[in-house]
Amino acid sequence: MTHELSSFGKWSKSSSKALPRTQEKSAVVYTRVSSKEQADNNLSLDFQKKVIDEYASRNGFTTIAYFGGTYESAKTDGRKEFQRMQDFIKKNKGQVSHILVYTLDRFSRTGGGAIKLAEDLREKYGVTVFAVTQPADTSNASGVLQQSIHFIFSQYDNQLRKQRAIAGMKEKFQKGIWVVKPPLGYDIVKTNGVRKIVINKAGKEVRKAFIWKSEGLKNEDIMIRMRLGGVPMYKQQLTKILKNPFYCGLLCHGLLEGQVVEGTHEKLISREVFLKVNDVGQKASGYGVRHKKEYSEVPLKIFVKCSDCGGAFTGYEVKAKGLWYYKCNTKGCLCIRNAKAMNALFEELLAKYTLQPQYAVPLQYQLEATYKELNKESEENAETYKTRLTEVTK
């Protein structure tokens, strides 16, 4: 017996990819430039928007939202405005039919990633990526191929640009020119079109940090002083600064492939200070138990030397007895002296020396001059702290 095919209609299937749409040509517009320089030529944001709006008006598109309108790189698809557009499409599934862009490289330069993204938008959300200056009908295989080729060439062009940029950077590094952002303490300035890297106000505090470290000051104390000087610092940042040879005029960068090059920028410190600081850094980490430098019970430590080996004496207290001692700091030397007895001997030695009256005034003058020289930095810091205190009080 023959049956009509209509009897089997309940078993028929339709494409699961078909998506309902409220408007056939409802579009969102995405504009983008990758650098501020592009705002001055034919790829400016206003120009892109104008061309897209004119095309949409001529071809019956209804624009329901605008995205982009800013500077975003197309090397990745994690851009803020780009992501906001994707979220809008997902939230309004079936309400958007097209993404209108000026050219396909405005949409993405990720090559295979862009092809996959465009495919997902078509199949999952029914959205077509359409470049108004590079029209392609992606409803058929030929149009999809044409669009994919544009995406691949955009990525290729991006890679060529990157390759040329890296080659240019490497050449300048080899000439001693620092072409990326300088470290803390430096600014980039342009004078009559000439680019220079100069020391700024923070650089003066960084210079002091190197000097303080070369004198043996702990990193914690350096950070406190720098904070009072208006340059907040955390320990990892300070360690990184103290190990950066840029501050003594040398360039070290991955593009130099292990080379160290003399820089053309202004030096913050001498190479001798930098090497001394890093020698100090190798012997001690700069953190741990804090030691008090001066004790009235052992005023001769470091000053007095061991008669056996010539090493400097350090001081320590035997708390159980309440007694202080001097001990030679040389490893293996067991020279130990009672602090009270040593201090008394030194006082007897000083009592043998007298100052003739005619030298009293010159000596006083020299002592004052020496004191001022030794405390010059402290006086400068006092002025800085006073200024900072006034600002905080306000």
Side-chain angles (χ1 to χ4, degrees):
M1 184 181 291
T2 304
H3 296 280
E4 293 289 338
L5 293 179
S6 59
S7 302
F8 296 88
K10 66 178 180 179
W11 285 282
S12 64
K13 295 181 180 180
S14 61
S15 173
S16 60
K17 296 179 181 179
L19 293 169
R21 295 180 182 173
T22 57
Q23 295 183 43
E24 187 61 30
K25 287 187 175 182
S26 53
V28 296
V29 173
Y30 178 72
T31 56
R32 176 194 68 82
V33 289
S34 58
S35 64
K36 291 187 178 181
E37 287 76 11
Q38 290 187 10
D40 300 325
N41 58 37
N42 287 342
L43 285 180
S44 69
L45 297 167
D46 290 338
F47 181 81
Q48 290 179 47
K49 183 177 180 296
K50 179 183 176 183
V51 173
I52 294 171
D53 284 344
E54 288 176 353
Y55 182 90
S57 179
R58 289 195 309 269
N59 292 273
F61 284 93
T62 300
T63 303
I64 59 176
Y66 288 89
F67 297 94
T70 186
Y71 308 104
E72 290 188 323
S73 172
K75 291 184 288 186
T76 68
D77 295 323
R79 296 159 272 162
K80 185 177 179 180
E81 278 293 300
F82 191 84
Q83 189 61 52
R84 195 167 72 87
M85 178 182 67
Q86 287 183 281
D87 293 340
F88 179 85
I89 291 170
K90 293 174 183 178
K91 185 178 179 181
N92 297 278
K93 187 175 182 180
Q95 304 300 311
V96 182
S97 64
H98 290 78
I99 297 174
L100 297 182
V101 292
Y102 179 74
T103 55
L104 288 173
D105 64 353
R106 299 301 90 198
F107 176 75
S108 179
R109 284 178 171 266
T110 58
I115 294 171
K116 180 66 169 63
L117 181 57
E119 181 183 356
D120 287 344
L121 286 169
R122 283 195 307 271
E123 296 185 357
K124 294 180 180 179
Y125 302 99
V127 176
T128 299
V129 178
F130 189 86
V132 298
T133 59
Q134 298 166 325
D137 183 4
T138 55
S139 63
N140 60 69
S142 297
V144 172
L145 175 62
Q146 182 182 346
Q147 189 180 80
S148 299
I149 291 171
H150 279 298
F151 281 136
I152 291 171
F153 270 102
S154 295
Q155 184 187 37
Y156 173 67
D157 180 60
N158 221 46
Q159 289 173 340
L160 286 180
R161 291 183 185 184
K162 181 180 178 181
Q163 188 176 353
R164 288 193 294 266
I166 290 175
M169 289 172 64
K170 185 175 181 179
E171 183 180 359
K172 288 193 174 182
F173 277 134
Q174 289 172 339
K175 292 180 180 179
I177 302 171
W178 189 259
V179 295
V180 294
K181 184 180 178 181
L184 178 69
Y186 285 91
D187 283 331
I188 297 174
V189 297
K190 283 189 177 181
T191 307
N192 297 325
V194 179
R195 179 181 180 274
K196 290 185 178 181
I197 298 177
V198 298
I199 298 170
N200 56 26
K201 185 178 179 181
K204 296 177 181 179
E205 295 299 319
V206 173
R207 180 188 284 121
K208 292 178 183 178
F210 273 98
I211 301 301
W212 291 328
K213 186 65 178 179
S214 69
E215 294 172 351
L217 200 67
K218 298 288 184 181
N219 284 14
E220 289 177 341
D221 296 327
I222 293 174
M223 287 188 293
I224 292 171
R225 292 189 181 189
M226 292 190 74
R227 192 178 300 114
L228 291 172
V231 183
M233 188 73 54
Y234 54 90
K235 61 182 181 181
Q236 293 89 347
Q237 185 182 10
L238 178 59
T239 301
K240 188 176 180 181
I241 286 172
L242 296 176
K243 292 182 179 296
N244 189 350
F246 185 90
Y247 293 103
C248 67
L250 301 177
L251 304 189
C252 297
H253 193 275
L255 291 179
L256 289 172
E257 298 175 353
Q259 287 182 293
V260 177
V261 176
E262 180 81 35
T264 59
H265 61 281
E266 187 179 358
K267 297 178 183 179
L268 193 71
I269 55 166
S270 67
R271 295 183 188 179
E272 291 74 19
V273 170
F274 180 80
L275 292 174
K276 184 178 180 181
V277 164
N278 281 276
D279 285 341
V280 170
Q282 292 171 3
K283 293 176 183 177
S285 65
Y287 295 92
V289 179
R290 299 183 64 177
H291 298 279
K292 186 177 177 181
K293 288 187 176 182
E294 303 295 339
Y295 291 92
S296 59
E297 294 82 0
V298 282
L300 302 178
K301 69 174 187 175
I302 307 300
F303 176 75
V304 174
K305 310 300 180 188
C306 175
S307 59
D308 296 336
C309 68
F313 274 111
T314 186
Y316 70 97
E317 180 187 16
V318 178
K319 292 185 178 180
K321 299 180 180 179
L323 298 175
W324 284 82
Y325 292 89
Y326 288 104
K327 178 182 180 298
C328 179
N329 208 26
T330 304
K331 188 176 181 180
C333 183
L334 303 177
C335 183
I336 299 174
R337 297 289 183 268
N338 182 280
K340 188 175 291 187
M342 282 275 287
N343 294 341
L345 288 172
F346 190 72
E347 287 177 359
E348 290 179 14
L349 179 64
L350 288 177
K352 297 178 182 179
Y353 294 88
T354 56
L355 181 67
Q356 296 180 17
Q358 64 268 32
Y359 296 124
V361 174
L363 179 61
Q364 182 180 355
Y365 176 84
Q366 184 58 50
L367 286 173
E368 289 177 355
T370 302
Y371 177 84
K372 288 180 180 179
E373 181 63 29
L374 292 174
N375 291 276
K376 183 178 179 181
E377 185 177 303
S378 297
E379 291 177 1
E380 291 176 355
N381 288 339
E383 289 298 320
T384 302
Y385 300 156
K386 186 178 179 180
T387 303
R388 291 283 296 167
L389 180 60
T390 303
E391 293 174 357
V392 171
T393 303
K394 287 182 180 179

